[in-house]
């Protein structure tokens, strides 16, 4: 089992920044894929960013590319999401996810790829 705990959410004005963190514990592996997803009220959960543990490659949704940066600290066993130039449409509950094995890159954007999920942290972008 893997336990994931997110932190860092909050209220921020448009154009501001937040940094989310996800602490992983349990049967974790440095090669496991990890990702961030988000879910806004009344909408489906959507992919935000992923870190492919096998080679360190990162992947982003088009809506956040150039504004968000995902990174992983393998020593501290954490996944971070630096969010800059935030927009009201970024408002959502953000979830950290971790998977098993080494899926191909095209699978990293799919929620079904991930086996473990955190409880989520709320991000609200509003003036």
């Amino acid at each position: 089992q893997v336990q994931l705990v997110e932190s860092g959410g909050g209220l921020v004005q448009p154009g501001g920044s937040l940094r989310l963190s996800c602490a992983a514990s349990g049967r974790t592996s440095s090669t496991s894929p990890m990702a961030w997803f988000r879910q806004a009220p009344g909408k489906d959960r959507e992919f935000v960013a992923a870190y492919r543990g096998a080679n360190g490659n990162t992947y982003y949704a088009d809506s956040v590319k150039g504004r968000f940066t995902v990174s992983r600290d393998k020593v501290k066993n954490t996944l971070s999401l630096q969010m800059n130039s935030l927009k009201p449409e970024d408002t959502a509950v953000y979830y950290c996810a971790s998977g098993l094995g080494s899926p191909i890159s095209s699978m990293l954007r799919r929620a079904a790829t991930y086996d473990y999920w955190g409880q989520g942290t709320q991000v609200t972008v509003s003036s």
Side-chain angles (χ1 to χ4, degrees):
Q1 286 285 358
V2 174
Q3 294 78 43
L4 303 171
V5 179
E6 302 98 334
S7 61
L11 173 65
V12 64
Q13 292 187 342
S17 297
L18 278 177
R19 185 177 180 87
L20 305 183
S21 292
C22 172
S25 61
R27 297 178 65 86
T28 61
S29 169
S30 62
T31 61
S32 297
M34 296 188 73
W36 290 97
F37 286 75
R38 66 187 181 186
Q39 188 167 18
K43 295 188 176 181
D44 293 333
R45 188 169 298 191
E46 66 173 358
F47 170 77
V48 175
Y51 181 99
R52 190 163 184 235
N55 56 15
N57 287 352
T58 56
Y59 306 84
Y60 298 92
D62 288 343
S63 59
V64 307
K65 198 173 296 182
R67 300 188 297 123
F68 291 11
T69 302
V70 64
S71 60
R72 184 167 180 180
D73 186 326
K74 294 185 178 181
V75 173
K76 295 182 179 179
N77 217 3
T78 59
L79 183 75
S80 297
L81 184 68
Q82 177 66 42
M83 305 185 294
N84 298 327
S85 302
L86 283 161
K87 305 175 181 180
E89 50 264 44
D90 294 318
T91 296
V93 178
Y94 283 70
Y95 297 92
C96 175
S98 178
L100 300 173
S102 184
I104 58 176
S105 57
S106 61
M107 297 296 292
L108 295 175
R109 299 170 184 268
R110 300 180 60 183
T113 296
Y114 301 91
D115 303 277
Y116 304 102
W117 293 81
Q119 82 288 350
T121 186
Q122 176 71 46
V123 172
T124 303
V125 185
S126 175
S127 55

